[in-house]
Amino acid sequence: IPPAGKNRIAGRSVVRPQALPPLLLVALLGSAAWVSAEQRVPLVLWSSSRDLWVPPLENTHEGHITTDIQLSCYLDHALEKGPRNVLLFLQEKLSIEDFTAYGGVFGDKQNSAFSNLESALELAPFSLILPSVDCYAVSTLTSYLKEKLGASPLRVDQATLRELKLSDTLPAVLLLRLPYTTGPGLMVLKEVLTGNDEIIGQVMSTFKSEGVPHTAILTALGPSRVVRDLSLMSGSLGRHPLQKEKDVQTLRLSPPVLSPVSYSDTEPRILFWAQRFTLVYKSQASDLTLLTFGTPTLNLTGSSWNTSFAQLVLTYNNLFGPFLIIRFILSSHFYPVSARSWFTMDRLEIHTNKSSVAFYFSHVTAPSIYSFRCQYVSTHRSKQGILMSSPDPTPWHVTFQNFQIQAFNCSGGNFSYASDCAGFFSPAIWMGLVSILLMLFIFTFSLHMLLNLKIMNHFDDPKGRTLSVSLTPSVT
């Protein structure tokens, strides 16, 4: 059992110098600078329990990327022997460079944007730091905690946290979302990180005052910065074992795609998927991707289906109020002209306890035996959105990236052949056709002029005066 004053970085026990606690965060860059930061985020864990032991994993090396299976191996021991109250600080974006750029150096907590986090790590009997974790592992973290502890994640804030009464025996998973800005200016970013650190400090003070044993986790959904892959620079890193290089290349594979939403009665009836699903109400934005796709506990109460009408209802708790209901309404009709059935997306409805709005789709249609797919579906007119709201204008904005839906003739729970929203004559094709026609016109006109060109047969001016020159000189 590691004594107090020690922590662990990626499975190795490291003595933490009491005089220089910020160097613990600065040391994160050393093991992450060898790989690209794309789709990799740090994860920091600390606990109020001393009786924790995380066994080191085999085949770990400099620049190692923690996968979802390895992360579960780390957390299994901490959750089985540690406190049953888990506090998850989930930031939208975070990279290892944020700690080194805005953290304190040589114990200077006054200028550090992570002073409360550094103090929590310094005072915690046990802590674990993983410099590079696969984003897919973070996306499945809430599902893992729910399955491991048997408690659904409860999204809370500072106000509701004070009203909760936590128990030492009953498990609880509390989720706090921390914002992140991508605006210009380093000071703006530092202010946001400092504000998030103050939230962490206030929450930890609340737990400490109530004497509740806990395990806290800080991580992010995606990286805030993309660092050039140094392994591609010839001769910059020296020699590396071939086996280790092969392992790093294997871990750089893209994470699996989240499974689509599937409504079934006797068999799958409605399928819905998007690479990213975001919802904005006034100035409040929320990314619903991880709450919607790949989540078996998604509430689909109210959904219905028959051969001519389909309704997919998604219900979220404690989002934009006590509840958020999103309803997709589709219908199928037979058209004698084309001798086939076509389905259309009639509207998308959003309901909360304070407001409701309906969006009408202008071009979401496809044969009923196909699915519909579009790269970008949004309410933003500036981005060629195809969603029209009623009433208009509305404070709600919806954005789907790589949107795909099918409500009829689903076979085997998989999407059928997709009818894409992109037309055959795209703007680039039209520009090419116009340029070709213009050049063809110029060529035809030039050829016509050349064919009608006539050579002059004489050079005399019939209207001019004739000039006569005498050939013999005159004698005086």
Side-chain angles (χ1 to χ4, degrees):
I1 300 174
K6 291 188 178 182
N7 66 345
R8 302 182 59 83
I9 298 181
R12 293 190 289 271
S13 181
V14 178
V15 178
R16 177 176 53 211
Q18 299 295 332
L20 303 176
L23 291 181
L24 190 63
L25 296 175
V26 179
L28 295 174
L29 183 61
S31 57
W34 301 91
V35 296
S36 172
E38 186 177 2
Q39 303 302 324
R40 307 291 180 257
V41 295
L43 185 143
V44 182
L45 180 146
W46 66 97
S47 178
S48 60
S49 175
R50 300 175 180 270
D51 302 331
L52 297 184
W53 170 250
V54 178
L57 296 181
E58 298 180 356
N59 298 326
T60 57
H61 53 86
E62 208 65 28
H64 177 74
I65 301 173
T66 305
T67 62
D68 55 337
I69 299 177
Q70 295 170 346
L71 180 61
S72 62
C73 293
Y74 281 129
L75 299 180
D76 282 343
H77 296 78
L79 297 179
E80 289 174 359
K81 299 182 180 180
R84 307 291 288 174
N85 295 315
V86 177
L87 187 60
L88 177 59
F89 296 98
L90 192 60
Q91 192 162 298
E92 292 183 7
K93 293 182 179 181
L94 184 66
S95 291
I96 200 67
E97 291 76 26
D98 293 331
F99 290 108
T100 57
Y102 305 107
V105 181
F106 300 108
D108 185 12
K109 291 185 179 182
Q110 185 177 0
N111 297 324
S112 174
F114 304 95
S115 57
N116 293 303
L117 178 61
E118 294 170 4
S119 300
L121 291 176
E122 183 179 358
L123 299 176
F126 173 84
S127 61
L128 174 69
I129 298 176
L130 300 177
S132 184
V133 180
D134 196 341
C135 285
Y136 174 71
V138 176
S139 66
T140 60
L141 185 57
T142 54
S143 301
Y144 165 80
L145 294 176
K146 178 179 179 181
E147 180 181 358
K148 188 67 178 179
L149 299 176
S152 299
L154 178 62
R155 186 170 181 177
V156 297
D157 52 19
Q158 296 173 260
T160 57
L161 187 62
R162 299 187 184 95
E163 301 175 358
L164 293 177
K165 300 299 180 181
L166 300 178
S167 173
D168 298 345
T169 57
L170 297 178
V173 180
L174 306 181
L175 175 62
L176 276 83
R177 299 294 294 267
L178 303 178
Y180 187 89
T181 180
T182 56
L186 298 179
M187 296 304 297
V188 176
L189 178 57
K190 185 176 181 179
E191 291 177 359
V192 174
L193 294 176
T194 304
N196 293 343
D197 184 71
E198 292 179 356
I199 295 176
I200 295 176
Q202 295 173 5
V203 171
M204 299 312 300
S205 299
T206 303
F207 272 76
K208 184 178 180 180
S209 62
E210 296 181 359
V212 179
H214 60 275
T215 297
I217 302 174
L218 170 64
T219 185
L221 297 175
S224 60
R225 308 184 183 197
V226 177
V227 178
R228 181 176 54 182
D229 192 351
L230 299 180
S231 63
L232 298 179
M233 299 172 59
S234 59
S236 60
L237 298 181
R239 295 181 296 176
H240 300 279
L242 294 179
Q243 183 63 32
K244 300 304 181 183
E245 184 177 354
K246 181 178 180 181
D247 294 340
V248 172
Q249 292 178 356
T250 303
L251 291 173
R252 287 176 188 164
L253 296 177
S254 58
V257 179
L258 298 177
S259 59
V261 175
S262 176
Y263 168 70
S264 306
D265 44 20
T266 57
E267 59 182 86
R269 299 297 187 183
I270 306 175
L271 296 175
F272 162 59
W273 184 82
Q275 185 178 4
R276 188 172 185 183
F277 177 19
T278 57
L279 190 62
V280 179
Y281 178 69
K282 295 182 179 178
S283 59
Q284 182 181 2
S286 179
D287 190 344
L288 305 182
T289 306
L290 300 180
L291 300 177
T292 305
F293 308 104
T295 304
T297 59
L298 180 63
N299 188 357
L300 300 180
T301 304
S303 302
S304 60
W305 180 91
N306 57 46
T307 56
S308 60
F309 178 82
Q311 181 178 240
L312 179 63
V313 181
L314 311 178
T315 303
Y316 307 88
N317 296 324
N318 300 320
L319 191 62
F320 295 100
F323 65 89
L324 171 67
I325 299 177
I326 300 178
R327 184 179 289 112
F328 297 85
I329 299 177
L330 306 95
S331 60
S332 177
H333 302 279
F334 179 78
Y335 293 90
V337 177
S338 60
R340 64 167 57 184
S341 296
W342 290 69
F343 83 88
T344 56
M345 175 82 73
D346 296 334
R347 63 185 183 274
L348 168 65
E349 299 179 357
I350 300 176
H351 300 276
T352 63
N353 64 328
K354 296 182 180 180
S355 65
S356 61
V357 64
F359 294 96
Y360 295 91
F361 292 77
S362 57
H363 301 290
V364 179
T365 180
S368 297
I369 60 175
Y370 296 158
S371 63
F372 176 83
R373 180 175 60 192
C374 195
Q375 184 178 6
Y376 193 86
V377 176
S378 175
T379 57
H380 295 280
R381 303 293 176 84
S382 59
K383 299 181 180 180
Q384 299 181 353
I386 60 176
L387 292 179
M388 298 176 294
S389 62
S390 178
D392 191 16
T394 176
W396 291 94
H397 291 284
V398 187
T399 301
F400 301 98
Q401 292 184 9
N402 291 331
F403 172 83
Q404 189 170 6
I405 194 168
Q406 183 176 1
F408 304 96
N409 297 290
C410 296
S411 59
N414 298 320
F415 284 104
S416 301
Y417 177 82
S419 175
D420 202 285
C421 65
F424 177 77
F425 289 97
S426 62
I429 295 178
W430 278 116
M431 291 176 62
L433 290 177
V434 171
S435 301
I436 292 175
L437 291 176
L438 180 61
M439 294 178 64
L440 183 61
F441 172 76
I442 296 175
F443 174 76
T444 304
F445 181 74
S446 302
L447 183 62
H448 176 74
M449 292 184 62
L450 291 175
L451 293 177
N452 289 274
L453 184 63
K454 296 181 179 180
I455 302 175
M456 297 180 63
N457 53 5
H458 60 87
F459 299 93
D460 295 337
D461 187 2
K463 298 181 181 180
R465 182 180 178 182
T466 304
L467 179 63
S468 60
V469 180
S470 177
L471 296 179
T472 59
S474 60
V475 179
T476 58

